[in-house]
């Protein structure tokens, strides 16, 4: 007989606020960010990871149950655990984010009129900074 019961990974310590109002605000923000992350998983123009990590951060400060659910989630749990434990991002995610930012920035340079080109350069500088930041983080797959 096989045991089909799901085993949970771990129960992290949370830094919950003592104010009920602040906790409710964080719960609501957590759900907002989680929904945006799901939309980002379905649409190529929106990122997923930042919203899921923001949801985890909000829920860590407001709801042990939601935070526990997210860090043990079938699809997002490993990424949240890697981020919370080691501030690590998988190498493929770094490359994917950099390629998507490059394509988006190139489209701005192609589509914006000449008088708005400053905006494309601002986005290019921001995306370059984000890419540099991402590649300075440890790779999640190398963390044991």
């Amino acid at each position: 007989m096989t045991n089909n019961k799901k085993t949970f990974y771990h129960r992290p310590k949370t830094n919950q606020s003592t104010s009920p109002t602040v906790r409710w605000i964080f719960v609501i923000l957590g759900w907002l960010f989680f929904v945006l992350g799901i939309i980002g998983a379905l649409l190529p123009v929106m990122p997923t990871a930042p919203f899921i990590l923001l949801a985890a951060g909000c829920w860590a400060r407001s709801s042990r149950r939601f935070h526990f659910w997210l860090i043990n989630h079938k699809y997002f749990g490993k990424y949240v655990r890697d981020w919370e434990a080691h501030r690590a991002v998988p190498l493929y995610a770094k490359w994917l984010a950099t390629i998507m930012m490059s394509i988006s920035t190139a489209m701005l340079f192609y589509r914006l009129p000449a008088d708005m080109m400053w905006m494309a350069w601002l986005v290019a500088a921001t995306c370059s900074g984000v890419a540099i930041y991402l590649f300075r983080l440890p790779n999640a797959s190398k963390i044991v």
Side-chain angles (χ1 to χ4, degrees), residues 3 11 26 73 79 84 88 110:
N3 185 1
R11 241 182 226 283
F26 276 129
H73 191 273
Y79 304 111
E84 287 182 352
Y110 175 71

Side-chain angles (χ1 to χ4, degrees), residues 7-8 16-17 22 24 32 35 38 59 69 76 82 86 101 107 110 121 142:
T7 57
F8 289 109
Q16 290 191 330
S17 175
V22 172
W24 272 107
L32 174 71
V35 169
I38 297 298
W59 287 339
W69 171 76
F76 303 125
D82 286 340
H86 308 289
M101 287 187 295
M107 290 303 295
Y110 175 71
W121 283 108
K142 292 184 179 182

Side-chain angles (χ1 to χ4, degrees), residues 10-110:
H10 71 291
R11 241 182 226 283
K13 291 182 179 179
T14 57
N15 185 16
Q16 290 191 330
S17 175
T18 56
S19 167
T21 306
V22 172
R23 280 199 313 268
W24 272 107
I25 290 170
F26 276 129
V27 166
I28 292 167
L29 284 173
W31 277 109
L32 174 71
F33 291 138
F34 183 75
V35 169
L36 288 173
I38 297 298
I39 292 170
L42 302 173
L43 297 176
V45 296
M46 272 184 72
T48 300
F51 291 120
I52 298 299
L53 294 176
L54 282 169
C58 287
W59 287 339
R61 285 157 184 76
S62 62
S63 171
R64 285 184 179 95
R65 181 178 66 167
F66 292 144
H67 186 246
F68 181 67
W69 171 76
L70 186 58
I71 64 169
N72 291 292
H73 191 273
K74 180 179 180 180
Y75 299 108
F76 303 125
K78 181 179 179 341
Y79 304 111
V80 174
R81 289 190 305 269
D82 286 340
W83 179 257
E84 287 182 352
H86 308 289
R87 296 292 189 253
V89 177
L91 185 60
Y92 78 88
K94 294 176 185 182
W95 279 107
L96 181 63
T98 302
I99 290 168
M100 295 304 283
M101 287 187 295
S102 300
I103 291 170
S104 299
T105 303
M107 290 303 295
L108 277 178
F109 278 105
Y110 175 71

Side-chain angles (χ1 to χ4, degrees), residues 126-138:
T126 303
C127 289
S128 297
V130 169
I132 290 168
Y133 173 75
L134 277 175
F135 279 96
R136 291 183 58 130
L137 294 171

